[in-house]
């Protein structure tokens, strides 16, 4: 129970009326002309504030009616708890007693919510520093705090308020909170279900009784929002199985006397299971009746399915939207035959008026320039509305990977029947990545690693990056820049300058030291909204040393330790993913051909395809395949220091990075380090799952995977029975230092000599 040192006064209106009645006899004398007005008793309030509410001034004729009106006006401000009007000769004296001001608001015992969150909630009900203290507002504040705890299933929370007077007519307000224990769901019951058991129905909802993972997910804590969502899930479950007349008649939530246990009872009416007997399309179909009929995903003879019905309506609406009919409506009218337990649907089409887009708005980009977003938009202002172009524009903006979320809304223009506004709302994310580390070990001695990359530098859409690495296994200094709109037509340009030194002896590979310096320039020319052709040219100098394998030594004897080469590239890419951060549908296809001339004459062909399918609203199935083939030109062998490698994250997890494929044969006949190869096949299948409790954020995902792949040498034939397989689980996190992928995998198919590495991680990975 709350305790207060200041006892409450009566309501302001009642006090004002009583005060007015009490002062009436005091001013029964004849009116007089006011010579002066004095205000007494104020401490914090400015005299001008009081005078602004007084309905008279010096020189006016004073009466008891004016006195009553003054008292009522000053009480109504809420600043004062006592107001008196006295007369001393021809001087009016207004005596007031101010209400205390709140000097500080503090909390004791709050653990579930931080202090700032509670202060913000109380500010909305009128409790904050410098505001006037009011007992009625304090009572509302206590109820507001309790309501905050109800959202966390703490139904037994108690709040006590202590008011401490301090100098200058101020008070400190302290809320002492006993949070109590979290009320857990102990029972979920269903009444009226015959077709499905309670267990089957519980599997369809999020709320559940305490279990192994509910400590983390908090799904055993009741909330009205979760229950509403679960009731919709149950409705969808039944409708998708033919129960057209299914209804949730009621849901009751009861709490135990000690406020620690919650029981939920859901009353259902299942009805009968219906089969679709006929499908028709009618109304104004714009001569596209058969085209619209093909979009209907439910056919005669099928069991009624609510999701397919919704998908059919959306597909038909979107199709009409592609022709400018933004306000088209599709109304599936059912004709139910209860005796035969069948239903026929007539999809009535009303296209409405053709609309055009008045404005395209961009909202939420605090850092990224408008033009960076608008140049991805394919729906133009003053053009006919096109739902496909609007969706494509949203996907293109999301593929920039500059934003956490990208949403699009369409709204009719008030006062018009054929205009619409399109608004793209984005939420900025940190696009810069910076990492630095200093370490020391017996192999590399002092190691300094640093990198910085800004994918949207100054909000321009350009990328600028630099890298430095001093480890003995891989030394590097590189600078790169990418301008995705080098020309106004969308031709991109990327430039790289680099010097790298790799020593494979420190990576469990065949020992070789390669020093490479080079520069490259690449252009990307879009020829559709999804397809881009890439053209590039690079110059490179390589110096090879510390070679131990005899095959590598033979190559150096024939072609020398130092080589110069010009490398040309020709590529194609098609990106139809709906997001550049966490895609759930679409695909990415890339083909790249590389040809080298000069001291090095070789070619390399690489094809990669990624596909994404939404299994459910939260689960995504992702497939990655990659095939690479390389060989020498002009009867020269392929340069061994350009060899391909397989194994580890990015290829076949569960095997040590780069160790699959041909290996050295040591003098005792055993297998040594990996040599790399020229032919590679990789396949990865992932079931991607959002991390529980993450909400709409895309920064972290769990996954289960199956990988396969292998690598063959220059003189080896590709044999599919050489393929290795592995399976496991992992986590992807878009960390502040770049994409981080962790995986734990176990080989399913391996052979002697394979090096197993079950736990692996890498920063900066893609798929």
């Amino acid at each position: 129970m709350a305790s207060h040192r200041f006892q409450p006064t009566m309501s302001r209106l009642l006090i004002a009326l009583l005060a007015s009645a009490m002062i009436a006899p005091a001013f029964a004398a004849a009116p007089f002309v006011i010579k002066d007005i004095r205000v007494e008793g104020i401490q914090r309030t400015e005299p001008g504030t009081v005078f602004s509410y007084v309905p008279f001034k010096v020189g006016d004729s004073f009466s008891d009616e004016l006195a009553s009106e003054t008292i009522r006006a000053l009480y109504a401000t809420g600043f004062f708890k006592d107001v008196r009007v006295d007369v001393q000769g021809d001087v009016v004296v207004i005596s007031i007693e101010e209400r205390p001001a709140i000097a500080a608001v503090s909390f004791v015992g709050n653990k579930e919510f931080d202090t700032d969150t509670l202060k913000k909630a109380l500010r909305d009900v009128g409790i904050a520093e410098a505001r006037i203290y009011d007992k009625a507002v304090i009572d509302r504040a206590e109820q507001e705090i309790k309501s905050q705890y109800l959202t966390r299933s703490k139904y037994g929370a108690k709040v006590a308020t202590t008011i401490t007077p301090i100098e200058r007519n101020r008070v400190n307000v302290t809320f002492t909170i006993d949070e109590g224990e979290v009320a857990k769901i102990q029972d979920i019951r269903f009444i009226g279900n015959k077709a499905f058991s309670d267990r089957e129905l519980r599997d369809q909802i999020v709320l559940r009784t305490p279990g192994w993972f509910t400590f983390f997910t908090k799904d055993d804590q009741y909330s009205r929002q979760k229950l509403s969502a679960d009731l919709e899930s149950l409705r969808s479950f039944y409708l998708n199985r033919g129960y057209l007349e299914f209804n949730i008649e009621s849901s009751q939530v009861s709490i135990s006397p000690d406020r620690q246990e919650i029981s939920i009872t859901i009353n259902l009416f299942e009805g009968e299971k219906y089969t679709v007997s006929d499908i028709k399309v009618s109304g104004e179909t714009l001569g596209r009746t058969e085209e619209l009929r093909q979009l209907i995903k439910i056919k005669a003879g099928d069991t009624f399915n609510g999701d397919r019905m919704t998908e059919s309506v959306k597909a038909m609406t979107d199709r009409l939207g592609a022709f400018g009919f933004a306000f088209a409506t599709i109304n599936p009218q059912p004709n139910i035959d209860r005796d035969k337990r069948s239903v026929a649907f007539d999809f009535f089409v009303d296209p409405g008026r053709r609309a055009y887009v008045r404005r395209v708005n961009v909202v939420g980009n605090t850092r990224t320039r408008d033009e960076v977003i608008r140049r991805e938009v394919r729906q133009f202002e003053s053009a006919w509305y096109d739902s496909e172009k609007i969706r494509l524009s949203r996907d293109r903006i999301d593929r920039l990977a500059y934003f956490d979320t990208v949403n699009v809304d369409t709204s009719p223009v008030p006062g018009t029947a054929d205009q619409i506004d399109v608004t793209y709302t984005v939420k900025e994310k940190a696009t810069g990545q910076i990492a630095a580390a200093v370490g020391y070990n017996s192999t590399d001695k002092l190691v300094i690693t640093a990198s910085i990359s800004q994918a949207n530098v100054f909000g321009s859409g350009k990328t600028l990056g630099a890298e430095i690495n001093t480890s003995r296994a891989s030394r590097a200094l590189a600078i790169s820049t990418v301008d995705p709109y080098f020309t106004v037509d969308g031709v991109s340009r990327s430039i790289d300058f680099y010097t790298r030194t790799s020593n494979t002896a420190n990576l469990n590979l065949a020992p070789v030291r390669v020093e490479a310096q080079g520069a490259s320039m690449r252009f990307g020319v879009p020829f559709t909204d999804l397809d881009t052709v890439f053209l590039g040219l690079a110059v490179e100098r390589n110096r090879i040393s510390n070679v131990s394998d005899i095959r590598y030594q033979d190559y150096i004897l024939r072609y020398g330790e130092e080589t110069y080469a010009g490398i040309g590239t020709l590529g194609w890419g098609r990106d139809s993913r709906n997001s550049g951060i966490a895609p759930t549908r679409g695909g990415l296809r890339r083909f790249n051909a590389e040809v080298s001339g000069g001291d090095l004459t070789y070619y390399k062909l690489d094809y990669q395809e990624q596909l994404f399918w939404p299994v459910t609203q939260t689960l995504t199935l992702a497939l990655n395949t990659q095939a690479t083939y390389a060989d020498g030109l002009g009867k020269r062998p392929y340069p061994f220091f350009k060899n391909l490698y397989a194994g580890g994250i990015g290829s076949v997890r569960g095997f040590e990075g780069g160790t699959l494929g041909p290996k050295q044969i040591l003098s005792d006949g055993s297998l040594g380090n990996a040599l790399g190869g020229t032919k590679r096949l990789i396949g990865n299948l992932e079931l991607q799952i959002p991390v529980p409790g993450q909400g709409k954020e895309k920064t972290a995902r769990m996954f289960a995977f199956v990988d396969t792949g292998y690598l063959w040498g220059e003189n080896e034939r590709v044999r599919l029975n050489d393929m290795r397989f592995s399976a496991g689980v992992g986590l992807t996190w878009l960390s502040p230092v770049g994409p981080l992928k962790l995986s734990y995998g176990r080989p399913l198919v391996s052979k002697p000599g394979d090096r197993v590495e079950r736990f692996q991680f890498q920063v900066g990975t893609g798929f």
Side-chain angles (χ1 to χ4, degrees):
M1 179 179 292
S3 62
H4 305 275
R5 303 224 180 145
F6 282 94
Q7 297 300 317
T9 61
M10 302 175 65
S11 72
R12 297 170 188 165
L13 181 59
L14 180 59
I15 292 177
L17 292 173
L18 289 175
S20 299
M22 293 173 62
I23 90 164
F27 298 102
F32 62 91
V33 176
I34 302 170
K35 299 297 184 182
D36 192 16
I37 303 172
R38 294 203 313 266
V39 178
E40 297 179 350
I42 57 175
Q43 299 181 44
R44 300 182 316 276
T45 308
E46 293 293 329
T49 302
V50 177
F51 286 127
S52 67
Y53 292 97
V54 174
F56 54 81
K57 62 183 182 298
V58 174
D60 289 349
S61 179
F62 184 77
S63 65
D64 55 347
E65 288 81 6
L66 287 177
S68 299
E69 189 177 343
T70 301
I71 292 174
R72 285 194 296 269
L74 291 175
Y75 266 116
T77 65
F79 299 157
F80 314 110
K81 68 177 181 179
D82 191 21
V83 179
R84 298 192 312 275
V85 178
D86 298 318
V87 174
Q88 297 179 3
D90 52 5
V91 176
V92 178
V93 181
I94 303 174
S95 301
I96 62 176
E97 183 180 351
E98 295 174 322
R99 291 183 183 274
I102 299 174
V105 178
S106 60
F107 301 88
V108 177
N110 56 305
K111 298 177 182 177
E112 190 73 20
F113 296 98
D114 59 55
T115 298
D116 289 341
T117 300
L118 293 176
K119 281 188 174 182
K120 183 180 183 302
L122 296 191
R123 192 176 297 115
D124 295 337
V125 299
I127 295 294
E129 286 85 352
R131 293 194 180 182
I132 300 301
Y133 165 77
D134 189 323
K135 167 61 170 62
V137 178
I138 293 294
D139 292 340
R140 290 201 301 270
E142 292 179 359
Q143 295 304 316
E144 176 62 25
I145 293 174
K146 290 179 181 178
S147 69
Q148 294 290 322
Y149 279 93
L150 288 179
T151 64
R152 301 291 177 90
S153 292
K154 292 199 170 185
Y155 295 89
K158 299 178 181 178
V159 182
T161 309
T162 302
I163 309 299
T164 306
I166 60 175
E167 73 280 356
R168 294 176 22 228
N169 196 27
R170 297 178 302 157
V171 296
N172 290 332
V173 181
T174 302
F175 295 95
T176 302
I177 302 171
D178 179 4
E179 294 185 332
E181 298 295 326
V182 174
K184 302 292 183 68
I185 299 173
Q186 296 300 319
D187 187 29
I188 301 176
R189 291 178 292 174
F190 300 91
I191 296 176
N193 54 309
K194 299 176 182 177
F196 303 99
S197 66
D198 284 12
R199 181 174 181 179
E200 288 176 295
L201 296 182
R202 289 192 192 101
D203 288 341
Q204 309 308 315
I205 63 178
V206 172
L207 291 175
R208 58 193 65 253
T209 55
W212 285 102
F213 298 104
T214 54
F215 173 79
F216 180 72
T217 63
K218 301 187 185 301
D219 290 338
D220 58 351
Q221 299 179 15
Y222 167 78
S223 78
R224 184 179 303 174
Q225 293 79 8
K226 285 184 179 179
L227 179 59
S228 297
D230 282 347
L231 296 181
E232 287 303 315
S233 296
L234 287 173
R235 184 173 285 106
S236 296
F237 176 75
Y238 271 93
L239 291 177
N240 291 342
R241 285 155 181 79
Y243 293 86
L244 179 63
E245 298 178 305
F246 171 80
N247 186 42
I248 297 175
E249 297 185 330
S250 65
S251 60
Q252 294 90 33
V253 180
S254 59
I255 189 168
S256 62
D258 62 359
R259 296 181 173 271
Q260 299 300 306
E261 297 181 356
I262 291 176
S263 296
I264 299 175
T265 303
I266 301 173
N267 295 279
L268 312 174
F269 172 74
E270 291 184 330
E272 299 294 338
K273 188 174 182 179
Y274 284 86
T275 301
V276 177
S277 60
D278 191 21
I279 294 291
K280 294 181 180 179
V281 177
S282 63
E284 181 53 64
T285 62
L286 307 175
R288 299 177 180 274
T289 302
E290 190 57 34
E291 181 181 348
L292 294 175
R293 187 193 301 275
Q294 295 300 318
L295 298 174
I296 299 175
K297 302 181 183 302
I298 191 168
K299 308 298 180 185
D302 293 348
T303 300
F304 172 76
N305 186 293
D307 280 352
R308 290 183 186 174
M309 185 67 64
T310 302
E311 291 170 7
S312 301
V313 171
K314 184 178 185 305
M316 296 171 73
T317 304
D318 289 347
R319 187 58 182 159
L320 292 172
F323 301 113
F325 295 94
F327 308 110
T329 58
I330 309 296
N331 183 20
Q333 299 173 345
N335 183 11
I336 299 175
D337 187 337
R338 291 184 173 82
D339 293 334
K340 296 182 179 180
R341 297 180 185 176
S342 64
V343 56
F345 284 97
D346 184 359
F347 287 80
F348 186 81
V349 179
D350 180 9
R353 296 187 62 175
R354 196 176 186 191
Y356 66 90
V357 174
R358 182 185 69 164
R359 291 197 187 100
V360 175
N361 304 308
V362 177
V363 179
N365 52 317
T366 57
R367 182 173 61 254
T368 305
R369 300 173 189 172
D370 260 22
E371 64 173 321
V372 174
I373 300 174
R374 288 185 178 275
R375 65 195 184 192
E376 303 298 330
V377 175
R378 295 299 179 263
Q379 170 67 68
F380 301 124
E381 294 178 342
S382 301
W384 289 118
Y385 172 93
D386 189 328
S387 59
E388 293 181 358
K389 289 183 178 179
I390 290 173
R391 183 172 58 253
L392 173 63
S393 302
R394 194 220 73 86
D395 291 350
R396 287 178 63 90
I397 295 171
D398 206 348
R399 285 199 292 268
L400 292 174
Y402 301 160
F403 311 106
D404 280 328
T405 58
V406 179
N407 296 312
V408 58
D409 295 306
T410 55
S411 56
V413 176
T416 68
D418 60 353
Q419 296 182 43
I420 200 165
D421 286 340
V422 179
T423 302
Y424 294 94
T425 303
V426 300
K427 181 183 177 183
E428 300 264 17
K429 81 178 188 71
T431 55
Q433 298 174 8
I434 184 169
V438 178
Y440 182 88
N441 58 56
S442 58
T443 302
D444 291 341
K445 306 304 180 184
L446 182 65
V447 178
I448 300 175
T449 303
S451 65
I452 183 170
S453 175
Q454 177 64 59
N456 187 16
V457 60
F458 305 123
S460 66
K462 299 178 182 179
T463 299
L464 181 64
E467 175 192 358
I468 183 172
N469 191 325
T470 67
S471 73
R472 293 177 64 186
S474 178
R475 297 175 182 266
L477 175 62
I479 298 174
S480 62
T481 178
V482 179
D483 184 351
Y485 275 78
F486 177 64
T487 70
V488 294
D489 296 327
V491 175
S492 65
R493 183 193 66 183
S494 59
I495 301 175
D496 295 274
F497 299 94
Y498 59 88
T499 174
R500 295 188 176 95
T501 302
S502 62
N503 191 345
T504 58
N506 296 314
L507 299 174
N508 293 325
L509 306 177
V512 59
R513 177 185 175 89
V514 180
E515 301 174 32
Q517 294 86 37
S520 66
M521 181 179 294
R522 191 184 193 199
F523 294 94
V525 182
F527 61 94
T528 73
D529 287 325
L530 301 177
D531 300 276
T532 304
V533 170
F534 298 96
L535 301 166
L537 183 64
V539 291
E540 186 176 87
R541 167 189 175 272
N542 294 281
R543 182 175 178 81
I544 306 103
S545 59
N546 294 349
V547 177
S548 62
D549 188 86
I550 188 170
R551 284 171 289 186
Y552 293 176
Q553 292 173 350
D554 289 342
Y555 184 95
I556 292 175
L557 288 174
R558 293 178 62 185
Y559 305 110
E561 293 182 346
E562 188 170 4
T563 61
Y564 293 86
I567 304 170
T569 58
L570 174 65
W572 163 79
R574 180 179 179 85
D575 192 349
S576 60
R577 298 172 300 169
N578 65 332
S579 172
I581 299 175
T584 58
R585 60 176 170 80
L588 175 65
R589 297 172 177 85
R590 292 184 289 203
F591 172 77
N592 190 67
E594 180 180 313
V595 179
S596 175
D599 295 334
L600 302 180
T601 55
Y602 69 89
Y603 69 94
K604 181 169 67 174
L605 306 176
D606 182 78
Y607 179 78
Q608 183 179 19
E609 183 165 359
Q610 297 178 0
L611 298 173
F612 301 89
W613 299 278
V615 180
T616 67
Q617 291 185 347
T618 57
L619 301 181
T620 301
L621 189 65
L623 174 67
N624 175 67
T625 57
Q626 185 174 13
T628 311
Y629 183 88
D631 202 357
L633 288 173
K635 299 183 179 180
R636 286 194 175 192
Y638 184 77
F640 67 88
F641 51 89
K642 296 283 187 177
N643 272 352
L644 310 173
Y645 293 92
I649 286 185
S651 58
V652 187
R653 288 160 284 197
F655 295 91
E656 190 174 327
T659 61
L660 291 181
K663 294 180 174 59
Q664 290 178 308
I665 300 177
L666 303 180
S667 57
D668 60 359
S670 61
L671 297 177
N673 291 326
L675 294 168
T678 59
K679 295 175 281 290
R680 179 175 61 190
L681 288 177
I682 299 294
N684 313 102
L685 185 66
E686 287 185 358
L687 181 63
Q688 300 173 347
I689 310 165
V691 174
Q694 187 180 210
K696 295 183 178 180
E697 295 294 327
K698 303 177 182 178
T699 56
R701 287 177 297 167
M702 302 182 296
F703 59 85
F705 69 85
V706 176
D707 289 347
T708 184
Y710 197 66
L711 182 80
W712 295 269
E714 189 171 15
N715 299 316
E716 292 182 330
R717 292 175 51 229
V718 174
R719 297 181 302 178
L720 295 182
N721 60 358
D722 289 335
M723 300 283 282
R724 308 297 199 258
F725 291 83
S726 65
V729 296
L731 173 71
T732 299
W733 175 39
L734 298 177
S735 72
V737 297
L740 172 65
K741 179 170 280 192
L742 309 173
S743 71
Y744 178 83
R746 295 176 63 93
L748 300 177
V749 175
S750 61
K751 294 185 178 180
D754 291 342
R755 294 182 177 177
V756 175
E757 187 177 63
R758 290 177 177 160
F759 178 76
Q760 296 173 320
F761 75 94
Q762 190 170 358
V763 177
T765 60
F767 185 85

